[in-house]
Amino acid sequence: MAKILFVMTGADRWTLADGTPHPTGFWAEEAVAPYEAFKAAGHEIVVATPGGVVPPVDKASLAAEVNGGQENADRIVAALDAMTELRRPVRLEDVTLDDYAAVFYPGGHGPMEDLAVDAGSGRLLVDALDSGRPLGVVCHGPAALLAARRADGTNAFAGYQVAAFTNAEEIQGGLADKAKWLLQDRLTEAGVHVEAAEPWAPHVVTDRNLVTGQNPASSAPLAQELLKRLG
């Protein structure tokens, strides 16, 4: 049995280009699917957020239309309620990487607001990358990679192949023209190679110890890839 760190957003608002706060948080499926896979395999989960705040769920991620119908939406809500770790997160600032066998970042637009500029999360990501531990990041979670800088100012993930929420998906989701910046663009500017696949289809990319997923549908297959690496 291993201990897996879930690093999650503490932001319940995403500031748009015109300054409007857009309600957000973490995307439910991206936390639930990996959580259930890891727990079923006998692993322990610890949730960490900036400041130790309870991670807010994006209410849009609980709707029937994004969960394949009301029955599965109800199941996701019940699953979140059963995830007691969400209600007692540790402070990200207090995390010791040596305590964990793997690190996982779910998405939602929340990480675009806080983890993208969180120096503590950035340091943790650099350390996790350098340690060789399995590191999983999905959907908008790769926004956190933008804060992972080395001493010389370069991005620690420059040159890595990743999957992340694409410009095409942001456009189809209706928020691209309102955003301050787009994730695929920023990652590319940082030297990270984004492998964009068909919008909304499962797509997982592995590069060394980094495993990334493009969208919510990628979270379950990403979890299976991490489990393989945990042995």
Side-chain angles (χ1 to χ4, degrees), residues 4-172:
I4 301 172
L5 181 69
F6 272 42
V7 181
M8 301 182 68
T9 183
D12 63 1
R13 295 285 185 276
W14 176 37
T15 308
L16 301 178
D18 65 357
T20 304
H22 178 75
T24 189
F26 69 89
W27 198 260
E29 181 182 358
E30 295 166 21
V32 168
Y35 177 92
E36 290 182 334
F38 298 150
K39 292 290 269 194
H43 299 306
E44 181 183 346
I45 308 294
V46 174
V47 172
T49 60
V53 302
V54 172
V57 64
D58 188 326
K59 301 294 193 296
S61 70
L62 305 178
E65 55 266 29
V66 298
N67 286 295
Q70 192 59 50
E71 185 178 347
N72 197 50
D74 291 344
R75 190 194 75 75
I76 290 281
V77 170
L80 282 175
D81 192 50
M83 290 169 64
T84 56
E85 295 90 345
L86 289 174
R87 297 194 284 277
R88 42 182 174 82
V90 301
R91 284 166 38 91
L92 181 56
E93 298 83 351
D94 298 337
V95 164
T96 301
L97 183 62
D98 288 346
D99 294 340
Y100 302 96
V103 179
F104 172 67
Y105 278 68
H109 280 111
M112 301 273 281
E113 185 77 14
D114 60 355
L115 298 179
V117 294
D118 190 288
S121 171
R123 283 191 298 274
L124 178 75
L125 282 165
V126 174
D127 291 346
L129 190 68
D130 292 347
S131 75
R133 281 174 177 74
L135 172 59
V137 194
V138 70
C139 199
H140 287 92
L145 307 187
L146 298 170
R149 299 196 166 275
R150 298 202 180 275
D152 62 1
T154 59
N155 191 285
F157 293 89
Y160 276 75
Q161 304 287 333
V162 305
F165 201 72
T166 62
N167 289 358
E169 287 165 322
E170 206 72 82
I171 290 164
Q172 290 178 24

Side-chain angles (χ1 to χ4, degrees), residues 137-139 142 161-166 169 184 193-206 210-223 225:
V137 194
V138 70
C139 199
Q161 304 287 333
V162 305
F165 201 72
T166 62
E169 287 165 322
Q184 184 178 348
H193 303 303
V194 179
E195 288 187 14
E198 195 68 28
W200 315 110
H203 179 53
V204 174
V205 173
T206 61
L210 177 66
V211 184
T212 49
Q214 181 170 311
N215 45 37
S218 307
S219 51
L222 184 153
E225 189 62 38

